[in-house]
Amino acid sequence: MTITVRPGSTVMFTGDSITDCQRLESEDGLGFGYPLRVAGEWGLRHPDRPVTWLNSGIAGHKVQDLEARWQTDVLDAGPDVVSILVGVNDMGWHTLDPEGYVIPVEEFTAGYDRLLAPLAEAGTELILIEPFLLPIHGVVEAGAGTARIGWEERKEWRADLDPKIQAVRELADTYGAQLLPADRMFAELAATTGPEHWAQDGVHPTPAGHAALAAAWLRLVA
């Protein structure tokens, strides 16, 4: 079953840098990534069903950061649909920040659950996007250039991320949310084109990657 977006609905995108995508520098506050593409395509397809589109993503944020601002940035807006993409900063944080630490999947899951519970109670429709990591080649700089991430680091990240992806899948099932299986989607796309086509650093989508996310998101609504 897809989510029916009715005329006058408010749709909130939230999460980390993948959703943020320089929203504060954009004219409409949606940024330059998949939320903008979703809003544009929806307006093209459904000019008779205007929607208020909001983006409260903030670069670098983890589940615990979303929790700290959840009331003011999400709940107070009274959205009809909330789309969440978070988790990549909960993965491998200890490799990027001297004060970072390994975030156990139990901590990640409990925090994510606390995000969803008040929305479910309010009857908000939910779209959960899996965090993802593409198997790119070579070494890239991360953490504002403070760390160099190569194959060994990405292998560690992958082992850290997989159980958190599974947690998101299980939470989607628990709450009856729509799941966008982004990690699986990008793995399948990368198998034919190479991963760098979709995310040059394995994490932040290229324009093609954002287009893929937007197309997949739009298949979950009607």
mmCIF file of all heavy atoms in Angstrom, residues 42-69:
data_model
loop_
_atom_site.group_PDB
_atom_site.id
_atom_site.type_symbol
_atom_site.label_atom_id
_atom_site.label_comp_id
_atom_site.label_asym_id
_atom_site.label_seq_id
_atom_site.Cartn_x
_atom_site.Cartn_y
_atom_site.Cartn_z
ATOM 1 N N TRP A 42 6.556 15.919 -8.037
ATOM 2 C CA TRP A 42 5.175 15.866 -7.552
ATOM 3 C C TRP A 42 4.358 17.022 -8.143
ATOM 4 O O TRP A 42 3.225 16.833 -8.595
ATOM 5 C CB TRP A 42 5.132 15.931 -6.032
ATOM 6 C CG TRP A 42 3.717 15.879 -5.498
ATOM 7 C CD1 TRP A 42 2.895 16.940 -5.254
ATOM 8 C CD2 TRP A 42 2.958 14.707 -5.214
ATOM 9 N NE1 TRP A 42 1.672 16.505 -4.814
ATOM 10 C CE2 TRP A 42 1.675 15.141 -4.778
ATOM 11 C CE3 TRP A 42 3.238 13.346 -5.262
ATOM 12 C CZ2 TRP A 42 0.680 14.242 -4.402
ATOM 13 C CZ3 TRP A 42 2.243 12.449 -4.882
ATOM 14 C CH2 TRP A 42 0.991 12.888 -4.461
ATOM 15 N N GLY A 43 4.933 18.211 -8.130
ATOM 16 C CA GLY A 43 4.224 19.355 -8.688
ATOM 17 C C GLY A 43 3.924 19.192 -10.168
ATOM 18 O O GLY A 43 2.877 19.641 -10.651
ATOM 19 N N LEU A 44 4.834 18.549 -10.884
ATOM 20 C CA LEU A 44 4.616 18.286 -12.308
ATOM 21 C C LEU A 44 3.489 17.290 -12.520
ATOM 22 O O LEU A 44 2.634 17.470 -13.375
ATOM 23 C CB LEU A 44 5.913 17.761 -12.931
ATOM 24 C CG LEU A 44 5.846 17.338 -14.402
ATOM 25 C CD1 LEU A 44 5.517 18.535 -15.294
ATOM 26 C CD2 LEU A 44 7.164 16.695 -14.826
ATOM 27 N N ARG A 45 3.482 16.232 -11.709
ATOM 28 C CA ARG A 45 2.484 15.178 -11.881
ATOM 29 C C ARG A 45 1.118 15.554 -11.325
ATOM 30 O O ARG A 45 0.084 15.111 -11.834
ATOM 31 C CB ARG A 45 2.952 13.902 -11.167
ATOM 32 C CG ARG A 45 4.225 13.286 -11.696
ATOM 33 C CD ARG A 45 4.532 12.019 -10.894
ATOM 34 N NE ARG A 45 5.838 11.462 -11.200
ATOM 35 C CZ ARG A 45 6.325 10.362 -10.623
ATOM 36 N NH1 ARG A 45 5.604 9.717 -9.712
ATOM 37 N NH2 ARG A 45 7.529 9.915 -10.956
ATOM 38 N N HIS A 46 1.108 16.341 -10.246
ATOM 39 C CA HIS A 46 -0.140 16.586 -9.527
ATOM 40 C C HIS A 46 -0.353 18.076 -9.267
ATOM 41 O O HIS A 46 -0.391 18.511 -8.111
ATOM 42 C CB HIS A 46 -0.130 15.829 -8.195
ATOM 43 C CG HIS A 46 0.139 14.371 -8.318
ATOM 44 N ND1 HIS A 46 -0.781 13.471 -8.847
ATOM 45 C CD2 HIS A 46 1.241 13.633 -7.987
ATOM 46 C CE1 HIS A 46 -0.271 12.259 -8.825
ATOM 47 N NE2 HIS A 46 0.947 12.324 -8.317
ATOM 48 N N PRO A 47 -0.513 18.869 -10.297
ATOM 49 C CA PRO A 47 -0.731 20.302 -10.072
ATOM 50 C C PRO A 47 -2.018 20.594 -9.316
ATOM 51 O O PRO A 47 -2.174 21.691 -8.760
ATOM 52 C CB PRO A 47 -0.770 20.880 -11.497
ATOM 53 C CG PRO A 47 -1.145 19.715 -12.370
ATOM 54 C CD PRO A 47 -0.514 18.517 -11.728
ATOM 55 N N ASP A 48 -2.926 19.624 -9.279
ATOM 56 C CA ASP A 48 -4.191 19.797 -8.566
ATOM 57 C C ASP A 48 -4.092 19.418 -7.089
ATOM 58 O O ASP A 48 -5.078 19.541 -6.352
ATOM 59 C CB ASP A 48 -5.277 18.929 -9.222
ATOM 60 C CG ASP A 48 -4.894 17.449 -9.250
ATOM 61 O OD1 ASP A 48 -3.680 17.151 -9.312
ATOM 62 O OD2 ASP A 48 -5.799 16.592 -9.197
ATOM 63 N N ARG A 49 -2.915 18.955 -6.661
ATOM 64 C CA ARG A 49 -2.747 18.548 -5.267
ATOM 65 C C ARG A 49 -1.525 19.251 -4.672
ATOM 66 O O ARG A 49 -0.465 18.649 -4.509
ATOM 67 C CB ARG A 49 -2.594 17.029 -5.151
ATOM 68 C CG ARG A 49 -3.919 16.295 -5.229
ATOM 69 C CD ARG A 49 -3.761 14.872 -4.752
ATOM 70 N NE ARG A 49 -3.301 13.997 -5.802
ATOM 71 C CZ ARG A 49 -2.818 12.761 -5.583
ATOM 72 N NH1 ARG A 49 -2.704 12.304 -4.357
ATOM 73 N NH2 ARG A 49 -2.420 12.024 -6.590
ATOM 74 N N PRO A 50 -1.655 20.527 -4.341
ATOM 75 C CA PRO A 50 -0.510 21.257 -3.778
ATOM 76 C C PRO A 50 -0.122 20.697 -2.420
ATOM 77 O O PRO A 50 -0.969 20.303 -1.612
ATOM 78 C CB PRO A 50 -1.032 22.692 -3.665
ATOM 79 C CG PRO A 50 -2.518 22.542 -3.572
ATOM 80 C CD PRO A 50 -2.865 21.367 -4.442
ATOM 81 N N VAL A 51 1.174 20.675 -2.166
ATOM 82 C CA VAL A 51 1.729 20.125 -0.933
ATOM 83 C C VAL A 51 2.725 21.130 -0.372
ATOM 84 O O VAL A 51 3.446 21.795 -1.117
ATOM 85 C CB VAL A 51 2.440 18.777 -1.207
ATOM 86 C CG1 VAL A 51 3.217 18.304 0.026
ATOM 87 C CG2 VAL A 51 1.434 17.719 -1.633
ATOM 88 N N THR A 52 2.766 21.239 0.958
ATOM 89 C CA THR A 52 3.814 22.010 1.619
ATOM 90 C C THR A 52 4.973 21.075 1.907
ATOM 91 O O THR A 52 4.819 20.095 2.637
ATOM 92 C CB THR A 52 3.307 22.631 2.932
ATOM 93 O OG1 THR A 52 2.248 23.554 2.631
ATOM 94 C CG2 THR A 52 4.439 23.367 3.643
ATOM 95 N N TRP A 53 6.132 21.367 1.326
ATOM 96 C CA TRP A 53 7.318 20.530 1.477
ATOM 97 C C TRP A 53 8.297 21.206 2.432
ATOM 98 O O TRP A 53 8.621 22.384 2.247
ATOM 99 C CB TRP A 53 8.006 20.313 0.129
ATOM 100 C CG TRP A 53 7.120 19.710 -0.915
ATOM 101 C CD1 TRP A 53 6.417 20.372 -1.876
ATOM 102 C CD2 TRP A 53 6.845 18.318 -1.114
ATOM 103 N NE1 TRP A 53 5.728 19.495 -2.659
ATOM 104 C CE2 TRP A 53 5.966 18.214 -2.217
ATOM 105 C CE3 TRP A 53 7.273 17.146 -0.477
ATOM 106 C CZ2 TRP A 53 5.491 17.001 -2.694
ATOM 107 C CZ3 TRP A 53 6.801 15.925 -0.949
ATOM 108 C CH2 TRP A 53 5.932 15.860 -2.037
ATOM 109 N N LEU A 54 8.749 20.475 3.436
ATOM 110 C CA LEU A 54 9.685 21.004 4.420
ATOM 111 C C LEU A 54 10.909 20.108 4.512
ATOM 112 O O LEU A 54 10.814 18.891 4.305
ATOM 113 C CB LEU A 54 9.025 21.082 5.807
ATOM 114 C CG LEU A 54 7.754 21.930 5.918
ATOM 115 C CD1 LEU A 54 7.157 21.779 7.316
ATOM 116 C CD2 LEU A 54 8.027 23.387 5.589
ATOM 117 N N ASN A 55 12.039 20.706 4.833
ATOM 118 C CA ASN A 55 13.287 19.955 4.993
ATOM 119 C C ASN A 55 13.958 20.429 6.280
ATOM 120 O O ASN A 55 14.282 21.607 6.414
ATOM 121 C CB ASN A 55 14.203 20.195 3.787
ATOM 122 C CG ASN A 55 15.483 19.371 3.846
ATOM 123 O OD1 ASN A 55 15.835 18.803 4.874
ATOM 124 N ND2 ASN A 55 16.194 19.312 2.725
ATOM 125 N N SER A 56 14.161 19.510 7.227
ATOM 126 C CA SER A 56 14.846 19.858 8.474
ATOM 127 C C SER A 56 16.107 19.022 8.667
ATOM 128 O O SER A 56 16.567 18.844 9.793
ATOM 129 C CB SER A 56 13.905 19.684 9.678
ATOM 130 O OG SER A 56 13.525 18.332 9.836
ATOM 131 N N GLY A 57 16.665 18.505 7.577
ATOM 132 C CA GLY A 57 17.926 17.774 7.664
ATOM 133 C C GLY A 57 19.074 18.683 8.073
ATOM 134 O O GLY A 57 19.104 19.856 7.693
ATOM 135 N N ILE A 58 19.998 18.152 8.859
ATOM 136 C CA ILE A 58 21.197 18.903 9.240
ATOM 137 C C ILE A 58 22.418 18.014 9.060
ATOM 138 O O ILE A 58 22.474 16.894 9.596
ATOM 139 C CB ILE A 58 21.117 19.405 10.702
ATOM 140 C CG1 ILE A 58 19.970 20.409 10.855
ATOM 141 C CG2 ILE A 58 22.436 20.053 11.117
ATOM 142 C CD1 ILE A 58 19.834 20.984 12.258
ATOM 143 N N ALA A 59 23.396 18.499 8.316
ATOM 144 C CA ALA A 59 24.604 17.739 8.025
ATOM 145 C C ALA A 59 25.285 17.281 9.308
ATOM 146 O O ALA A 59 25.393 18.044 10.277
ATOM 147 C CB ALA A 59 25.565 18.580 7.190
ATOM 148 N N GLY A 60 25.733 16.037 9.303
ATOM 149 C CA GLY A 60 26.476 15.488 10.425
ATOM 150 C C GLY A 60 25.629 14.884 11.521
ATOM 151 O O GLY A 60 26.170 14.292 12.468
ATOM 152 N N HIS A 61 24.329 15.006 11.423
ATOM 153 C CA HIS A 61 23.492 14.567 12.531
ATOM 154 C C HIS A 61 23.316 13.048 12.579
ATOM 155 O O HIS A 61 23.251 12.366 11.559
ATOM 156 C CB HIS A 61 22.137 15.259 12.493
ATOM 157 C CG HIS A 61 22.170 16.576 13.207
ATOM 158 N ND1 HIS A 61 21.068 17.188 13.725
ATOM 159 C CD2 HIS A 61 23.232 17.385 13.519
ATOM 160 C CE1 HIS A 61 21.416 18.321 14.325
ATOM 161 N NE2 HIS A 61 22.716 18.472 14.196
ATOM 162 N N LYS A 62 23.253 12.588 13.822
ATOM 163 C CA LYS A 62 23.000 11.194 14.158
ATOM 164 C C LYS A 62 21.615 11.102 14.779
ATOM 165 O O LYS A 62 20.946 12.120 14.995
ATOM 166 C CB LYS A 62 24.062 10.691 15.135
ATOM 167 C CG LYS A 62 25.492 10.849 14.629
ATOM 168 C CD LYS A 62 26.512 10.422 15.659
ATOM 169 C CE LYS A 62 26.664 11.444 16.774
ATOM 170 N NZ LYS A 62 27.168 12.762 16.272
ATOM 171 N N VAL A 63 21.197 9.893 15.087
ATOM 172 C CA VAL A 63 19.887 9.710 15.716
ATOM 173 C C VAL A 63 19.780 10.546 16.988
ATOM 174 O O VAL A 63 18.767 11.204 17.237
ATOM 175 C CB VAL A 63 19.629 8.212 16.006
ATOM 176 C CG1 VAL A 63 18.486 8.038 16.997
ATOM 177 C CG2 VAL A 63 19.308 7.465 14.719
ATOM 178 N N GLN A 64 20.813 10.553 17.803
ATOM 179 C CA GLN A 64 20.749 11.299 19.059
ATOM 180 C C GLN A 64 20.613 12.796 18.820
ATOM 181 O O GLN A 64 19.988 13.510 19.611
ATOM 182 C CB GLN A 64 21.982 11.017 19.918
ATOM 183 C CG GLN A 64 23.293 11.503 19.324
ATOM 184 C CD GLN A 64 24.492 11.091 20.162
ATOM 185 O OE1 GLN A 64 24.468 10.096 20.875
ATOM 186 N NE2 GLN A 64 25.569 11.863 20.064
ATOM 187 N N ASP A 65 21.156 13.300 17.717
ATOM 188 C CA ASP A 65 21.011 14.714 17.382
ATOM 189 C C ASP A 65 19.582 15.023 16.940
ATOM 190 O O ASP A 65 19.035 16.083 17.284
ATOM 191 C CB ASP A 65 21.993 15.108 16.286
ATOM 192 C CG ASP A 65 23.438 14.877 16.686
ATOM 193 O OD1 ASP A 65 23.827 15.347 17.761
ATOM 194 O OD2 ASP A 65 24.166 14.200 15.930
ATOM 195 N N LEU A 66 18.994 14.123 16.173
ATOM 196 C CA LEU A 66 17.596 14.306 15.780
ATOM 197 C C LEU A 66 16.698 14.326 17.009
ATOM 198 O O LEU A 66 15.771 15.142 17.103
ATOM 199 C CB LEU A 66 17.155 13.200 14.827
ATOM 200 C CG LEU A 66 17.255 13.521 13.323
ATOM 201 C CD1 LEU A 66 18.703 13.775 12.918
ATOM 202 C CD2 LEU A 66 16.653 12.390 12.495
ATOM 203 N N GLU A 67 16.974 13.423 17.949
ATOM 204 C CA GLU A 67 16.178 13.398 19.180
ATOM 205 C C GLU A 67 16.188 14.744 19.881
ATOM 206 O O GLU A 67 15.156 15.214 20.382
ATOM 207 C CB GLU A 67 16.728 12.338 20.136
ATOM 208 C CG GLU A 67 16.180 10.942 19.928
ATOM 209 C CD GLU A 67 16.382 10.102 21.171
ATOM 210 O OE1 GLU A 67 15.494 10.121 22.044
ATOM 211 O OE2 GLU A 67 17.434 9.427 21.262
ATOM 212 N N ALA A 68 17.351 15.371 19.949
ATOM 213 C CA ALA A 68 17.494 16.619 20.698
ATOM 214 C C ALA A 68 16.654 17.753 20.106
ATOM 215 O O ALA A 68 16.278 18.689 20.826
ATOM 216 C CB ALA A 68 18.967 17.021 20.744
ATOM 217 N N ARG A 69 16.363 17.681 18.817
ATOM 218 C CA ARG A 69 15.625 18.767 18.169
ATOM 219 C C ARG A 69 14.289 18.306 17.587
ATOM 220 O O ARG A 69 13.635 19.044 16.845
ATOM 221 C CB ARG A 69 16.490 19.381 17.059
ATOM 222 C CG ARG A 69 16.897 18.430 15.945
ATOM 223 C CD ARG A 69 17.879 19.085 14.987
ATOM 224 N NE ARG A 69 18.298 18.225 13.898
ATOM 225 C CZ ARG A 69 17.654 18.112 12.722
ATOM 226 N NH1 ARG A 69 16.553 18.808 12.502
ATOM 227 N NH2 ARG A 69 18.128 17.309 11.770
#
